[in-house]
Amino acid sequence: MTKNVWIKHATLATLRSDQKGPRSKEAMSDIGLIEDGSLWIEDGIIQAVGTTDELEKTYGQKEADVIDASSRLVTPGLVDPHTHVVFGGTREKEFEMRLEGASYMDIMNAGGGIHATARMTREATEEELIEQTSRRLDSFLTHGVTTVEGKSGYGMNWETELKQLRVMRALQERHPVDIVPTFMGAHAVPPEFKGREDDFVNVIIDEMLPAVAKEKLAEFNDVFCEKDVFTPEQSKRILEAGKKYGLIPKIHADEIVSYGGAELAAEVGAISAEHLLKASDEGIKAMEKAGTIACLLPATALYLREEAAQGRQMVDSGVAVAISTDCNPGSSPTTSMPLVMNLACISMRMTPAEALTAATYNAACAINREDTIGSIEPGKQADLVLWNVKSYQELQYLFGVNHVQSVWKKGVQVVGNP
Ligand code: NIG
Ligand code: FE
């Protein structure tokens, strides 16, 4: 049994709301602030939230670890709803090549990019991947991230796809950060299927999806719907097939060119569409109507030196926006959600409050976890961050700096001095 924890005198951004489901428009600005706020945790679950005076009355005489958070911000643990965190090797040479003028897709079409990581991931043992991924999760945790989504997709053969998903499962036992697994067999067409793309789509549908479902290794099914990768028609077939196994669709959509990905996300009932740098106005409208969450990745846009997605316009037009690192070895090798929040403000003109909603509650919605994480409310998991800043505005304003002081996962302090 874990000890009771009492956090007092915090500037508390609770993100609580009576409204259910992903937030858009003005609802993204309401972060449920409580000045001189306080919360009580028992057995890893938040029991009470209010002002310090209010909680003093009920809990003042009880035994607990007391944390004095005077003049500092406390938020829910950050949620990263889109990562490719399980991979072998690194690609720093490609980084140099891109700075010299090569494009991301040129490198990939020449057998580098995702294919290079697939070779290194195929070669790595399960133990090696567990070890490397565990270090990345440590880094997420020190940046205030307590839950990540993780995708397969560096195998593109069933053995390696299952290996990646099993690594995520094994890490559930070994690491405090929760990983929510997504199958992404359709991340690229492997070289052995070049010119026979539809055959590879059939392999995904007839062999990989049943194997993933049999071992219950994933909750979501993602596709890289992009010119020269998977067409909207192929993507649709894969996502519809996944639905038959209960896998919820997600789509890497309109990242490099406008390709109807946002429209497809709305059509197949995807929980979220990712990237959306080149999403059409019609696509954004369709997402708003369908209630599809836009999962925006401004660190990827920066790293590829592209214009970021239209975050401001999407929020204003009623699309619920989540943000994510896209942590991967090619287009966004970072674990810093605080940096992503900074970039949501700087590159996409989202406000500091909207960026926080996008990295907590809406991010939890994008991975179907809003009932247990993403806000500080009684009954929810005590995943929390104490930041060494006095306000949420300061958190977004002092950019590129790690302000994390302490992190609690399920009520247990995992970062900072107890
Ligand atoms: O989300 N765009 C496709 N997939 C990843 C990149 C993966 C890689 O380059 O290794 C992304 O950016
Ligand atoms: Fe991605």
Side-chain angles (χ1 to χ4, degrees):
M1 203 169 80
T2 53
K3 272 206 205 141
N4 301 335
V5 181
W6 186 11
I7 299 177
K8 301 164 96 167
H9 302 304
T11 300
L12 207 56
T14 64
L15 279 295
R16 69 183 175 186
S17 164
D18 295 333
Q19 185 208 318
K20 290 270 158 275
R23 296 172 194 161
S24 59
K25 290 192 166 166
E26 302 79 42
M28 283 190 73
S29 304
D30 181 5
I31 57 169
L33 264 192
I34 305 178
E35 293 302 337
D36 197 357
S38 186
L39 66 121
W40 181 270
I41 304 164
E42 254 173 66
D43 292 334
I45 301 292
I46 298 165
Q47 295 293 332
V49 183
T51 62
T52 303
D53 277 353
E54 281 165 358
L55 265 68
E56 191 85 51
K57 291 185 195 116
T58 319
Y59 297 98
Q61 303 308 314
K62 287 199 177 177
E63 222 173 271
D65 282 343
V66 178
I67 312 291
D68 184 347
S70 292
S71 308
R72 279 163 301 161
L73 176 71
V74 171
T75 69
L78 303 181
V79 178
D80 191 336
H82 176 144
T83 84
H84 306 256
V85 69
V86 183
F87 59 84
T90 53
R91 305 204 321 247
E92 60 277 13
K93 287 229 164 58
E94 290 180 11
F95 177 61
E96 269 188 320
M97 282 163 70
R98 281 194 293 99
L99 295 177
E100 285 159 9
S103 82
Y104 179 79
M105 287 310 270
D106 287 347
I107 293 172
M108 175 164 157
N109 291 333
I114 294 172
H115 301 296
T117 298
R119 285 192 293 276
M120 295 185 272
T121 307
R122 285 178 181 188
E123 274 163 25
T125 66
E126 204 164 308
E127 263 321 304
E128 284 165 350
L129 290 175
I130 288 173
E131 217 278 309
Q132 291 166 19
T133 307
S134 180
R135 276 191 271 124
R136 279 173 214 130
L137 294 178
D138 289 345
S139 176
F140 271 113
L141 207 50
T142 57
H143 288 90
V145 178
T146 46
T147 301
V148 302
E149 181 255 19
K151 300 177 198 296
S152 68
Y154 289 125
M156 295 171 278
N157 59 31
W158 67 266
E159 297 95 319
T160 314
E161 291 293 313
L162 295 194
K163 179 168 71 179
Q164 282 188 278
L165 292 167
R166 287 188 193 123
V167 165
M168 294 184 218
R169 179 167 283 178
L171 280 163
Q172 289 303 281
E173 311 293 317
R174 302 202 201 176
H175 203 282
V177 171
D178 283 321
I179 311 188
V180 177
T182 295
F183 168 65
M184 197 177 178
H187 198 187
V189 179
E192 54 274 27
F193 283 90
K194 209 168 170 141
R196 298 190 294 127
E197 287 75 14
D198 281 323
D199 290 349
F200 183 58
V201 170
N202 291 338
V203 169
I204 293 175
I205 293 173
D206 298 335
E207 294 173 29
M208 294 193 202
L209 279 171
V212 169
K214 190 163 168 237
E215 281 192 48
K216 294 191 170 47
L217 282 168
E219 294 180 33
F220 301 97
N221 183 20
D222 198 343
V223 178
F224 190 10
C225 177
E226 189 66 51
K227 190 166 174 298
D228 295 332
V229 192
F230 294 95
T231 64
E233 293 70 31
Q234 291 166 335
S235 303
K236 186 173 169 184
R237 278 188 65 209
I238 294 166
L239 295 172
E240 292 293 349
K243 279 202 240 176
K244 299 199 180 107
Y245 297 101
L247 297 175
I248 301 168
K250 281 181 173 281
I251 309 185
H252 280 61
D254 304 314
E255 178 184 357
I256 315 284
V257 298
S258 188
Y259 203 47
E263 290 86 339
L264 178 64
E267 186 190 336
V268 298
I271 192 164
S272 62
E274 335 283 304
H275 289 284
L276 300 169
L277 267 54
K278 306 281 160 54
S280 70
D281 291 345
E282 295 73 40
I284 294 173
K285 237 181 248 140
M287 284 177 56
E288 188 269 317
K289 256 183 130 180
T292 317
I293 298 168
C295 183
L296 305 182
L297 315 166
T300 311
L302 176 74
Y303 207 71
L304 296 180
R305 297 188 300 116
E306 293 285 341
E307 200 67 44
Q310 301 288 330
R312 173 80 269 133
Q313 184 200 326
M314 290 184 203
V315 173
D316 291 343
S317 61
V319 176
V321 171
I323 53 176
S324 156
T325 61
D326 192 19
C327 172
N328 74 72
S331 65
S332 188
T334 182
T335 49
S336 178
M337 277 297 280
L339 174 67
V340 171
M341 288 196 289
N342 299 150
L343 293 176
C345 299
I346 300 164
S347 315
M348 305 199 294
R349 286 202 304 120
M350 288 168 63
T351 65
E354 290 167 348
L356 187 60
T357 300
T360 54
Y361 184 78
N362 275 4
C365 291
I367 52 172
N368 222 355
R369 287 293 188 279
E370 69 271 28
D371 289 343
T372 49
I373 56 171
S375 62
I376 300 176
E377 294 178 85
K380 281 204 168 178
Q381 214 165 279
D383 293 0
L384 303 158
V385 185
L386 169 61
W387 305 88
N388 207 1
V389 292
K390 59 186 178 307
S391 67
Y392 69 92
Q393 292 97 333
E394 196 178 26
L395 177 66
Q396 315 297 22
Y397 147 80
L398 293 170
F399 95 114
V401 180
N402 189 1
H403 300 288
V404 170
Q405 181 171 338
S406 309
V407 179
W408 288 264
K409 181 68 190 178
K410 297 179 182 145
V412 177
Q413 190 168 352
V414 283
V415 173
N417 297 323

